Amino acid sequence: MDQETTFVLLAAGAAVTVAGALGGVARTRAPLAWHAHLPWNGIAFAGVASVLFAAVHLFTLFRPA
């Protein structure tokens, strides 16, 4: 992967993480709504995992050779 792809993955992971966190908050406010049945914890975990992957990959890209 190049730098541009890694930055896109980092931004997408951050957006998914924020969406997962907001979904978890919405689930506690309206526990019987349609969005309360979505796996917000899993969505947030996937976002955090992709952010960590992108961060480690950026570290290896910019590491001095």
Side-chain angles (χ1 to χ4, degrees), residues 13-53:
V16 169
T17 302
V18 169
L22 292 176
V25 170
R27 176 179 34 199
T28 59
R29 290 184 183 213
L32 297 178
W34 66 270
H35 54 77
H37 302 290
L38 296 175
W40 293 113
N41 291 335
I43 293 170
F45 177 78
V48 169
S50 64
V51 167
L52 288 174
F53 175 75

